[in-house]
Structures are given as C-alpha cells and as structure tokens.
Amino acid sequence: QVQLVESGGGSVQAGGSLRLSCAASGYSFGSYCMGWFRQAPGKEREGVAAIDSDGSTSYADSVKGRFTISQDNAKNTLYLQMNSLKPEDTAMYYCAAEATIATMARPCRYYYALDYWGKGTLVTISS
C-alpha cells in the first residue's frame, strides 16, 4: 500500500522560507514522476512542481525561481524548498506520485494530476 506523508508546513512571514518533505512507503521511489500540488481556500487545486525519475523538473510559472523540488532516493523522501514566500502561496500542500512511467504522450509535468496522494500540510504566509 502506497503511503505519502507530508510534513514541514507552518506559518511564516512573507519573504521567508519553508521546506516541505514527503516520506513515501510502499512505493518504488525514484522510478516514477512525483509532484507537489496546492489548494487555497475557495480555489481549485493547482500543480506546483514535478520531478521525473531522471531528475528533470517542471514548475508552475507562479513559483518558478522561488521553489525547488528535489528527491532523496536513499531516504524515499520528496522535498519542496520554498523561498521568497508570498501571502498568495498560502494553501494546503499535497505530495503526489504517479503509478506508471512517464511517456512522451504524457510526460512528467506539474499540471498533470497523479495517482497517489498524501493528506497535505498547511502553509500560511502572513504579510
């Protein structure tokens, strides 16, 4: 059974930083696309960043240059380093993982929903 458990959320002031972690179990970590998504109150869920098995990454324009997705295969852990945080980054952040290998028809990109999901960690940015 695949389990994804996020941690690292919290409350910080604008301009600050947070690092989110996602511990994976029951999953062939490093073999498939993984990503971070977020959902703000009253808004639809949106993709933030994705990372493929070869380490290639994809980011939403709203976070490009501020957020960095990475993974540690030895620790089965996905990370999202978030710098220069803004109030509009306030949301529940979710880790997600794909069940199949990315293809040319469906590459690993931040805007595709994935198969497995964590329960989320809350990020609140104050101005």
Side-chain angles (χ1 to χ4, degrees), residues 83-100:
N83 299 328
S84 302
L85 284 161
K86 304 175 181 180
E88 51 264 43
D89 294 319
T90 294
M92 186 71 80
Y93 282 71
Y94 299 91
C95 167
E98 185 71 326
T100 56

Side-chain angles (χ1 to χ4, degrees), residues 38 51 69 72 78 98 117 120:
R38 67 185 182 187
I51 185 166
I69 188 171
D72 186 330
L78 181 73
E98 185 71 326
W117 293 83

Side-chain angles (χ1 to χ4, degrees), residues 10-107:
S11 298
V12 298
Q13 289 192 325
S17 298
L18 284 172
R19 188 176 81 155
L20 306 184
S21 299
C22 171
S25 59
Y27 184 67
S28 297
F29 195 91
S31 298
Y32 309 113
C33 180
M34 295 190 73
W36 289 96
F37 295 76
R38 67 185 182 187
Q39 187 166 19
K43 294 189 176 182
E44 292 188 354
R45 185 185 66 196
E46 62 174 351
V48 174
I51 185 166
D52 207 350
S53 57
D54 63 358
S56 58
T57 58
S58 170
Y59 295 94
D61 287 344
S62 59
V63 305
K64 200 171 293 184
R66 300 188 298 122
F67 290 11
T68 302
I69 188 171
S70 62
Q71 59 188 23
D72 186 330
N73 292 345
K75 296 183 178 180
N76 282 7
T77 302
L78 181 73
Y79 300 102
L80 185 69
Q81 178 66 45
M82 306 186 296
N83 299 328
S84 302
L85 284 161
K86 304 175 181 180
E88 51 264 43
D89 294 319
T90 294
M92 186 71 80
Y93 282 71
Y94 299 91
C95 167
E98 185 71 326
T100 56
I101 295 174
T103 65
M104 289 186 65
R106 195 188 187 282

